[in-house]
Amino acid sequence: MRRKIVAGNWKMNMTPSQAVALAKELIPLVESENVDVVFCVPAIDIVPVVEAVKGTKIAVGAENMYFEDKGAFTGEISAPMLVDAGVKYVILGHSERREYFKEDDVLLNKKVKKAFEAGLTPILCCGETLEQRELGVTLDFIRLQLKSDLAGVTAKQAASMVIAYEPIWAIGTGKTATSDQAEEVCGAIRKLICELYDEATAEAIRIQYGGSVNGGNAAELFAKPDIDGGLVGGASLKADFGKIVNY
Ligand code: 13P
């Protein structure tokens, strides 16, 4: 049985002092024996939030990282820096990074491999635009993304990672995919993992749905056999996140 994993993606919200206050507010609300909980926070909030969640089971994640260990890459943050700060997970390939910061699959493949090398667990995002869905190329597009991003990743590594299916049209729009739409794609992703690796890897990998998840729709989404939790944006910044974790 796969353990569910619910991760909050705080995006570019919360100054360090606000981040500590939010973490402290959420800690008692997100205690769970059955669900892994992750706060993915802005880089500048990592150190204080790691401190704030000490002694709890909550893990801290980053929202991005670079693929080089160190050097002349002004403004970037490396995997060893994240590990040293106490980070366990890193979101890679979020559609906002793909769109606004022009991250492509060649770059993301380097980042994914570096995350594993450093001992971080990637939360690798994929997902189609509304146009792609209407053209009927959703699954083709996601296959292309994941096959490219996972090139050179071993079965053992893949089994330990998290994939987040986030249809772009459902992000921040309040327009959640129906549980059947989400399950169709998450199931197809699991089949792809079986094809790229094997049955055991496909059974082990955790696949989240993301896109307007909230306390009211989490239970139906997470009841689907191939949906192992959620990557949550807006609702992760408020008490509603506790309802999602305890769906
Ligand atoms: P919302 O939950 O705000 O739609 O954001 C989803 C998301 O992008 C999580 O990574």
Side-chain angles (χ1 to χ4, degrees), residues 132 135-147:
Q132 288 166 329
L135 284 169
V137 299
T138 296
L139 299 182
D140 305 273
F141 181 67
I142 287 170
R143 279 177 72 90
L144 183 65
Q145 284 186 319
L146 292 178
K147 276 185 88 164

Side-chain angles (χ1 to χ4, degrees), residues 9 11 94 96 166 170-173 210-213 231-235:
N9 174 7
K11 307 194 179 184
H94 192 281
E96 287 149 17
E166 299 207 312
I171 294 177
T173 56
S212 300
V213 175
L231 184 57
V232 184

Side-chain angles (χ1 to χ4, degrees), residues 5 38 40 46 50 59-69 77-92 110-124 153 156-162 206:
I5 177 164
V38 189
C40 297
I46 287 171
V50 166
V60 175
E63 300 177 10
N64 179 36
M65 55 161 240
Y66 197 52
F67 66 84
E68 294 283 5
D69 282 340
I77 293 186
S78 73
M81 290 172 185
L82 296 177
V83 171
D84 188 62
V87 166
K88 303 288 180 212
Y89 293 84
V90 58
I91 298 175
L92 294 175
K110 292 181 183 160
K111 292 189 177 194
V112 169
K113 288 191 286 194
K114 177 54 70 173
F116 282 122
E117 187 192 311
L120 292 165
T121 300
I123 300 176
L124 174 64
V153 169
K156 188 161 175 252
Q157 290 170 332
S160 73
M161 74 183 293
V162 180
R206 293 189 287 181

Side-chain angles (χ1 to χ4, degrees), residues 12-236:
M12 197 175 74
N13 294 292
M14 301 294 143
T15 65
S17 55
Q18 291 171 334
V20 169
L22 177 62
K24 287 188 174 156
E25 181 196 335
L26 293 179
I27 287 168
L29 307 177
V30 299
E31 267 172 29
S32 168
E33 286 304 313
N34 316 311
V35 177
D36 290 337
V37 177
V38 189
F39 294 164
C40 297
V41 306
I44 198 165
D45 298 338
I46 287 171
V47 169
V49 171
V50 166
E51 186 61 32
V53 302
K54 240 180 213 151
T56 74
K57 290 191 193 129
I58 300 163
V60 175
E63 300 177 10
N64 179 36
M65 55 161 240
Y66 197 52
F67 66 84
E68 294 283 5
D69 282 340
K70 61 183 170 122
F73 304 101
T74 302
E76 293 297 308
I77 293 186
S78 73
M81 290 172 185
L82 296 177
V83 171
D84 188 62
V87 166
K88 303 288 180 212
Y89 293 84
V90 58
I91 298 175
L92 294 175
H94 192 281
S95 60
E96 287 149 17
R97 295 222 53 93
R98 292 178 188 262
E99 184 182 349
Y100 305 137
F101 304 99
K102 307 289 170 244
E103 294 199 6
D104 63 19
D105 293 309
V106 174
L107 173 70
L108 288 168
N109 178 241
K110 292 181 183 160
K111 292 189 177 194
V112 169
K113 288 191 286 194
K114 177 54 70 173
F116 282 122
E117 187 192 311
L120 292 165
T121 300
I123 300 176
L124 174 64
C125 302
C126 60
E128 81 286 4
T129 62
L130 186 58
E131 292 73 20
Q132 288 166 329
R133 176 158 283 267
E134 285 170 350
L135 284 169
V137 299
T138 296
L139 299 182
D140 305 273
F141 181 67
I142 287 170
R143 279 177 72 90
L144 183 65
Q145 284 186 319
L146 292 178
K147 276 185 88 164
S148 316
D149 299 345
L150 294 175
V153 169
T154 67
K156 188 161 175 252
Q157 290 170 332
S160 73
M161 74 183 293
V162 180
I163 291 178
Y165 165 54
E166 299 207 312
I168 294 169
W169 48 270
I171 294 177
T173 56
K175 208 177 146 194
T176 321
T178 66
S179 55
D180 287 336
Q181 283 173 325
E183 170 63 16
E184 183 194 9
V185 179
C186 291
I189 292 171
R190 203 175 301 286
K191 280 208 190 81
L192 173 66
I193 296 299
C194 185
E195 189 186 310
L196 295 176
Y197 298 100
D198 50 48
E199 188 74 40
T201 308
E203 277 307 308
I205 195 168
R206 293 189 287 181
I207 304 174
Q208 296 173 318
Y209 166 77
S212 300
V213 175
N214 60 46
N217 58 31
E220 187 184 336
L221 287 160
F222 299 173
K224 292 291 183 184
D226 289 305
I227 301 180
D228 305 315
L231 184 57
V232 184
S236 72

